[in-house]
Amino acid sequence: MKKPIILCVDDDAQVLAAITRDLRQEFRKDYRILSVGSGPEALTTLDELQARTEPLALVLADQRMPDVEGVEVLTHARALFPQAKRVLLTAYADTSAAIRAINSAQLDYYLLKPWDPPEQLLYPTLHDLLDRWQEVYRPQFDGIRLVGFQWSPLSHELKDFLSGYMVGYQWLDFEKDADAAPLVAANGFTAADLPVVVCADGQALAKPDKQVLGRHLGLLVEAKQELYDVVVIGAGPAGLAAAVYGASEGLKTLIIEKQTPGGQAGSSSRIENYLGFPTGLSGAELAHRAWSQATRLGAEFMAPEEVIDLCVQDGYKVLTLSDKSEIRARAVVLTTGVSYRTLDAPGLDRLSGAGVYYGAARTEARSCSNQPVYIVGGGNSAGQAAMYLSTYASQVFIIIRGDNLAASMSAYLIEQISQTPNIQILPRTQVREACGKHSLEAVVIQQEGRAPEKQPARALFIFIGAKPSTEWICNLAICDPKGYLLTGRDLVADPRYKESWKKEREPYLLETCVPGLFAAGDGRAGAMARVASAVGEGSMAIKFVHQYLDE
């Protein structure tokens, strides 16, 4: 963040040197001190500062200067920087002119020369003026800016993408923020090009592809090695744990993620039952810590990139990516996790990303300020989302089909919800329709035994269970009827699958029917849907990778 500027102007070189010295001695920690030796030079400097959008806090200008007097400099400063404080430096004989200038040029103060000692005659006055300026100063954001429409699904996707990688960005609503339209126009775009991402280096991207945006974030989008010891597919808790242990134990490790780190856990607003964090932490924070740890230990992280096929050639696993490039590995760990099931009701597909969201969608919480929101689902993810949204929304309604939350939600969350006055449980209730022209405006809900009711709603968050993200691999590895990957003893204990295992040894605990292809986390049959369990399985997978590679 740039330091604000204090500008001093005097045509007397000796006086200018003295004021510059005194200002730097007292204020250089928090401000940049600029000095110029004439009125015309001061006007040019002010123009340049405005062009560079530099923050100007204070201008001190001597009154009696040839060509351009101090009052003219301060008047020009007021036109360009209305919030900057303006001080006139004057001799005792010119005090009457200075007093008149307080009204004509709207000066904030005038100081008599000399100001010795500055501790008494200079610093107290300037501190007071600068404190008043700081009260209204809003620093310009110096990072990525995202301009779009609030209810645009693509804008929502980009917000989630940036948040998922914990990249700080400024959101500008094109219809509400005064800075949005000028910023878009300055980069040669129009409203038809939205959303627009303006990167920290000044480059602007219209409707950017996530891979292009990933390059600007410094993410790896091309593999560095021809052959890896282990490739981890999916960067949820299980995949991140596998990457940490694989890299720390000297394996050439690559982790590939098609969206953002953390998986479903990464969207949780607060995880309070994970060992070692007594006050809890967000899923995004946990994922970011694990990602940083894995890359520090030497793992390569490729994102956003999707694996669309996997085959075995001469014992090596060949992965085909969405861009048709290939990566070879000696072993692979599948940690693709699960995705939220969609809800079938009129209007939901049409308004998805425009008020209807699958998962926590924490980036949209502020848009729900002082308005009602609905949550569908009774699991821990739904409960965590309800607690988070309750700090913004006027009312949070949790819709469940059952009688209560006890069967599907942890006790600590049920207790927190019961103590939150603006959260209400709607038992034996279903969503029948989502209503709104361009964004969600209302939901039609129906409680068992009652007629449907239409209720106003700013957002609808859906958590109705999950399905494994294994469709692309089921032609190679065996899945159970629900699509979860079968591993270890489940392969040889069931007569239906026993013939699929061709080696003399039994499969390792997390090994699929393909030797050297392992599965961990929520996408594996029999896995426990808990963050700690997923981390444990990802760590265990590397132990079995070592055993497989040593054969």
Side-chain angles (χ1 to χ4, degrees):
M1 190 69 66
K2 297 178 180 178
K3 289 182 180 180
I5 291 171
I6 296 176
L7 176 65
C8 49
V9 188
D10 202 305
D11 65 324
D12 186 320
Q14 187 174 356
V15 174
L16 184 62
I19 188 68
T20 302
R21 178 199 63 217
D22 290 342
L23 290 173
R24 285 178 177 165
Q25 181 175 321
E26 183 70 7
F27 299 105
R28 65 183 175 185
K29 180 181 178 181
D30 300 312
Y31 298 88
R32 288 178 289 162
I33 313 301
L34 298 183
S35 56
V36 294
S38 71
E41 186 181 356
L43 299 180
T44 301
T45 300
L46 288 168
D47 291 338
E48 292 174 350
L49 293 178
Q50 186 201 39
R52 299 200 304 265
T53 64
E54 299 276 4
L56 181 66
L58 174 69
V59 184
L60 301 99
D62 180 48
Q63 169 60 10
R64 288 201 174 187
M65 294 185 294
D67 301 324
V68 176
E69 293 185 336
V71 170
E72 295 180 64
V73 172
L74 298 178
T75 301
H76 191 62
R78 177 173 174 268
L80 300 182
F81 300 92
Q83 303 298 332
K85 299 302 178 182
R86 299 171 296 281
V87 176
L88 191 68
L89 298 175
T90 182
Y92 181 78
D94 296 323
T95 53
S96 59
I99 293 172
R100 289 194 301 271
I102 290 177
N103 293 325
S104 62
Q106 297 189 23
L107 302 185
D108 293 291
Y109 209 84
Y110 71 89
L111 288 171
L112 294 176
K113 297 188 291 186
W115 52 83
D116 191 48
E119 291 78 9
Q120 297 178 16
L121 302 179
L122 180 66
Y123 298 154
T125 298
L126 298 189
H127 273 298
D128 181 60
L129 291 172
L130 290 170
D131 286 346
R132 285 158 51 193
W133 178 81
Q134 287 283 3
E135 290 176 0
V136 298
Y137 171 55
R138 297 294 179 267
Q140 181 182 359
F141 184 78
D142 190 19
I144 292 178
R145 286 171 288 176
L146 171 59
V147 186
F149 295 106
Q150 175 61 50
W151 304 116
S152 159
L154 183 53
S155 293
H156 167 67
E157 286 182 22
L158 293 175
K159 283 191 280 186
D160 265 6
F161 181 76
L162 292 169
S163 297
Y165 287 97
M166 297 194 79
V167 175
Y169 70 94
Q170 182 184 44
W171 162 249
L172 296 173
D173 188 330
F174 189 79
E175 295 177 313
K176 295 181 180 180
D177 293 305
D179 296 337
L183 181 62
V184 170
N187 286 281
F189 298 119
T190 67
D193 299 309
L194 297 178
V196 169
V197 176
V198 181
C199 301
D201 60 5
Q203 185 172 353
L205 309 170
K207 298 179 181 177
D209 177 87
K210 290 180 183 177
Q211 285 193 337
V212 174
L213 186 55
R215 287 190 177 92
H216 283 271
L217 299 180
L219 301 177
L220 177 68
V221 291
E222 294 181 359
K224 294 182 179 180
Q225 309 285 339
E226 293 184 1
L227 176 67
Y228 290 90
D229 294 320
V230 60
V231 172
V232 182
I233 305 175
L240 290 167
V244 166
Y245 280 88
S248 67
E249 294 175 13
L251 298 178
K252 291 182 180 179
T253 305
L254 172 68
I255 183 167
I256 303 174
E257 170 56 46
K258 67 178 181 179
Q259 295 177 340
T260 55
Q264 284 194 339
S267 66
S268 295
S269 55
R270 183 141 300 267
I271 301 171
E272 297 191 61
N273 58 356
Y274 187 63
L275 183 67
F277 295 89
T279 60
L281 78 168
S282 71
E285 184 182 0
L286 177 63
H288 187 73
R289 289 186 182 201
W291 171 34
S292 300
Q293 186 178 16
T295 52
R296 181 180 64 82
L297 292 169
E300 293 181 27
F301 191 95
M302 180 180 287
E305 187 58 84
E306 183 178 5
V307 180
I308 60 173
D309 192 26
L310 191 156
C311 64
V312 180
Q313 294 180 0
D314 301 324
Y316 294 106
K317 283 66 180 173
V318 181
L319 288 69
T320 303
L321 306 182
S322 57
D323 62 0
K324 305 305 180 182
S325 62
E326 293 183 346
I327 294 174
R328 298 170 69 85
R330 300 170 67 194
V332 170
V333 180
L334 298 170
T335 57
T336 51
V338 295
S339 58
Y340 286 111
R341 295 187 183 276
T342 57
L343 187 62
D344 185 18
L348 292 178
D349 286 344
R350 181 174 58 85
L351 296 175
S352 179
V356 175
Y357 307 104
Y358 288 91
R362 293 186 303 122
T363 54
E364 306 301 338
R366 292 188 183 277
S367 69
C368 302
S369 294
N370 301 316
Q371 299 185 71
V373 301
Y374 285 76
I375 293 175
V376 182
N380 279 1
S381 295
Q384 290 161 352
M387 290 301 302
Y388 180 73
L389 290 166
S390 68
T391 62
Y392 298 95
S394 60
Q395 192 77 25
V396 178
F397 298 95
I398 301 179
I399 297 174
I400 57 174
R401 290 190 175 188
D403 292 329
N404 54 57
L405 298 171
S408 54
M409 189 178 293
S410 296
Y412 78 92
L413 270 174
I414 295 175
E415 183 178 357
Q416 289 179 1
I417 288 171
S418 67
Q419 296 174 356
T420 306
N422 65 333
I423 299 180
Q424 181 179 345
I425 311 298
L426 301 179
R428 301 182 302 280
T429 303
Q430 297 184 49
V431 173
R432 296 303 185 191
E433 185 179 357
C435 308
K437 186 175 182 181
H438 300 295
S439 64
L440 183 70
E441 299 171 5
V443 293
V444 176
I445 59 175
Q446 183 175 18
Q447 195 167 28
E448 187 179 303
R450 296 185 180 181
E453 298 179 357
K454 186 175 183 180
Q455 300 290 346
R458 172 50 69 193
L460 176 66
F461 300 89
I462 301 171
F463 305 82
I464 56 168
K467 60 179 181 178
S469 303
T470 56
E471 302 91 343
W472 64 278
I473 195 66
C474 284
N475 63 328
L476 179 65
I478 294 177
C479 299
D480 70 8
K482 294 183 178 180
Y484 291 91
L485 289 160
L486 293 171
T487 59
R489 290 289 302 169
D490 289 343
L491 290 170
V492 295
D494 193 321
R496 294 175 297 173
Y497 309 123
K498 192 172 182 178
E499 295 301 318
S500 66
W501 181 253
K502 304 299 182 183
K503 295 183 75 72
E504 292 184 4
R505 66 166 175 83
E506 284 195 355
Y508 297 122
L509 181 62
L510 300 179
E511 197 169 22
T512 68
C513 65
V514 180
L517 179 63
F518 301 87
D522 292 353
R524 188 183 69 84
M528 183 183 298
R530 290 289 184 271
V531 174
S533 175
V535 170
E537 288 195 7
S539 308
M540 290 169 54
I542 297 303
K543 174 183 182 299
F544 299 128
V545 167
H546 277 295
Q547 292 180 349
Y548 169 76
L549 295 179
D550 290 340
E551 291 179 356

